[in-house]
């Protein structure tokens, strides 16, 4: 799968939801929902995030922000 920049995907190796930031060499570059450090994922190991997975990631980000864990 070669998802477009801005797509929400799941890295099936780590189970993390990420936003596609770009493509570099053989990898897809992902950033966690809400920002953070990017990581490289194998394009064959990513899939489109479901609406429930996107909501879960957004909720986790909002909760962390409300607890003061994020700047």
């Amino acid at each position: 799968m070669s998802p477009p920049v801005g797509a929400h995907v799941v890295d099936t190796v780590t189970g993390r939801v990420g936003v596609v930031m770009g493509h570099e060499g053989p990898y897809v570059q992902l950033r966690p929902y809400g920002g953070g450090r990017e990581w490289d994922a194998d394009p064959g190991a990513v899939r489109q995030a479901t609406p429930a997975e996107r909501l879960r990631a957004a909720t986790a980000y909002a909760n962390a922000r409300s607890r003061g864990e994020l700047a």
Side-chain angles (χ1 to χ4, degrees):
M1 172 183 189
S2 183
V5 172
H8 289 79
V9 298
V10 176
D11 179 350
T12 59
V13 173
T14 64
R16 296 170 66 190
V17 175
V19 178
V20 176
M21 301 306 292
H23 302 86
E24 186 67 36
Y27 299 104
V28 176
Q29 295 178 314
L30 304 176
R31 178 170 285 162
Y33 184 90
R37 188 176 180 144
E38 289 184 7
W39 77 95
D40 293 333
D42 179 0
V46 297
R47 64 170 175 77
Q48 189 83 18
T50 66
E53 289 167 329
R54 290 179 66 171
L55 179 61
R56 191 176 310 121
T59 301
Y61 171 74
N63 286 340
R65 193 176 74 195
S66 72
R67 290 188 301 262
E69 296 173 2
L70 304 173

